[in-house]
Amino acid sequence: MAKQSKVIANERRKQTVARYAPVRAEYKAIIADAGASDAERAQARRKLQALPRDASPTRVRNRDAIDGRPRGFIGKAGVSRVRFRELAHRGELPGIHKSSW
């Protein structure tokens, strides 16, 4: 089980990312636009850098949906490898079964 403060901080980051997503997309479009002047691009770059750090989607950590474990995350199931194994053995994950050969 992860520390509750880490899980809460990650949820706060997700909300910040969602709040600033349209602004970030606008600045990034200006930066990537070939028709924009150098001054416009430089200004957009400065404004992008002035946004809060937690506005970047890279700072959001994938965590286990059940207990918040940050390592061994399996995206298809949304849980960590430890929880994935438990749920798979109990048959609680649809389409997942133990293989043997």
Side-chain angles (χ1 to χ4, degrees), residues 8-44:
I8 292 169
N10 199 46
E11 291 302 317
R12 189 181 63 241
R13 275 190 205 102
K14 286 180 184 178
Q15 292 173 356
T16 306
V17 167
R19 187 177 332 123
Y20 285 99
V23 177
R24 283 182 61 86
E26 181 183 331
Y27 293 151
K28 284 185 165 278
I30 293 170
I31 292 168
D33 184 20
S37 68
D38 289 340
E40 289 174 337
R41 277 204 200 117
Q43 184 181 11

Side-chain angles (χ1 to χ4, degrees), residues 2 7 18 22 34 45 51 64-65 76-77 93 98:
V7 174
R45 206 172 295 119
L51 293 177
D64 188 322
K76 188 173 184 179
L93 294 175
K98 190 173 186 305

Side-chain angles (χ1 to χ4, degrees), residues 31-65:
I31 292 168
D33 184 20
S37 68
D38 289 340
E40 289 174 337
R41 277 204 200 117
Q43 184 181 11
R45 206 172 295 119
R46 278 193 298 277
K47 286 183 178 181
L48 185 64
Q49 289 175 349
L51 293 177
R53 278 186 168 189
D54 284 346
S56 174
T58 306
R59 292 180 61 97
V60 175
R61 178 80 186 204
N62 288 329
R63 289 185 172 271
D64 188 322

